[in-house]
Amino acid sequence: MKLLTVGNSFSQDPHAYLHDLALSCGVELDVYNLFIGGCPLRVHAAHLKDGEAAYSLEINGKTVRPISIPEAIAMEKWDAITTQQASGKSGDYASYQPYLDELIAAFRAACPEAKLYFQKTWAYETDSDHKDFPRYGNDQHRMYGMITEACGAASAETGLPLIPTGDVIQYLRGRVAAFDYANGGMSLNRDGYHLSLTYGRLAAAATWLAFFTDADLKKATFRPEGCDDEDLVRAVFAAAEKFARRK
């Protein structure tokens, strides 16, 4: 399977371990990410039109070269194409359109056989110092609720299924004591907004793997450095299966 994401650092996080996690389950999954840090849908739509090679192409978590959206769309026969809003604007649906529709139209015209998806990203950590956290009253639960509402509206209007990364992260924060940062647990973020290099990124990768494939996460042997608590790994995989396994 070949998957293309027109994204930013919040697609870097799930893509970092996705290929390796899939291989450890016996699944061939090649993941391509078009990266500009903090890039919103408005800028993606602008670069779609100007054809600028403004993105870093990342293949299976490794940076390869600069690339444009039109070149990336044409470079493979994609099975799936995904995009997402920039994290700070993720809870504001007014910022999604008309840019999301413009991207969808281009993807469908160039790759009519590819299935299209939208990633529901995660809320910031409770003490995040991200400049956009005040949009949500510096409240993680409020931010998660607003992301849920905005992504739900996007899915309803466009028909794009949601990749539930944000649901998995929020579930782990609230249901697994070790990840309850507000009460002394470890954070699933490394800087208050990007995912941790251990269980945070593993949770995102597991979510995408369960969403896009029939891989049995119980058979996964891949472990990022620092993920040495098997009970927590099992909790991460169980959360991914709960939210991402399509019926």
Side-chain angles (χ1 to χ4, degrees):
M1 179 179 183
K2 291 188 180 293
L3 185 154
L4 173 67
T5 292
V6 177
N8 47 48
S9 60
F10 273 45
S11 51
Q12 269 189 325
D13 279 340
H15 280 222
Y17 302 145
L18 181 52
H19 175 72
D20 290 335
L21 183 64
L23 278 182
S24 78
C25 294
V27 174
E28 287 283 350
L29 178 58
D30 288 322
V31 292
Y32 294 65
N33 185 46
L34 269 59
F35 168 76
I36 298 176
C39 194
L41 292 167
R42 175 184 59 79
V43 176
H44 288 318
H47 286 316
L48 172 67
K49 295 173 183 175
D50 65 31
E52 182 181 354
Y55 296 83
S56 292
L57 172 63
E58 301 170 335
I59 302 178
N60 297 332
K62 297 177 176 60
T63 301
V64 178
R65 62 181 174 86
I67 198 168
S68 68
I69 295 178
E71 182 186 356
I73 292 174
M75 72 184 295
E76 295 280 355
K77 184 177 180 180
W78 302 108
D79 297 295
I81 302 176
T82 85
T83 193
Q84 62 205 44
Q85 180 56 295
S87 65
K89 296 177 171 62
S90 58
D92 176 16
Y93 187 56
S95 71
Y96 286 43
Q97 296 291 14
Y99 317 111
L100 180 56
D101 281 346
E102 292 171 5
L103 291 166
I104 290 170
F107 297 156
R108 286 181 171 153
C111 307
E113 296 181 0
K115 296 182 179 179
L116 309 184
Y117 302 90
F118 193 87
Q119 181 181 205
K120 179 180 179 180
T121 53
W122 51 92
Y124 299 155
E125 190 51 275
T126 54
D127 60 356
S128 177
D129 62 359
H130 194 286
K131 63 180 178 62
D132 286 318
F133 204 23
R135 288 172 175 259
Y136 308 97
N138 296 302
D139 185 318
Q140 181 188 96
H141 294 284
R142 182 180 178 188
M143 184 175 184
Y144 173 66
M146 291 176 69
I147 292 171
T148 297
E149 184 175 349
C151 285
S155 180
E157 183 172 311
T158 65
L160 268 57
L162 298 177
I163 308 165
T165 316
D167 294 326
V168 172
I169 296 301
Q170 198 65 23
Y171 177 86
L172 288 169
R173 287 165 167 166
R175 296 298 186 91
V176 179
F179 299 132
D180 184 2
Y181 177 72
N183 290 298
M186 75 178 78
S187 179
L188 287 169
N189 300 97
R190 64 185 185 270
D191 54 9
Y193 38 101
H194 295 110
L195 295 178
S196 68
L197 302 181
T198 53
Y199 299 102
R201 279 188 164 182
L202 181 63
T207 301
W208 283 56
L209 185 59
F211 185 84
F212 283 106
T213 78
D214 293 325
D216 184 353
L217 289 171
K218 295 183 181 66
K219 296 181 179 179
T221 58
F222 173 77
R223 302 288 185 271
E225 184 177 355
C227 290
D228 49 9
D229 187 320
E230 285 301 312
D231 287 339
L232 293 185
V233 170
R234 283 192 290 271
V236 163
F237 288 169
E241 294 252 350
K242 176 182 176 67
F243 285 94
R245 186 66 70 191
R246 290 174 292 172
K247 306 301 182 185

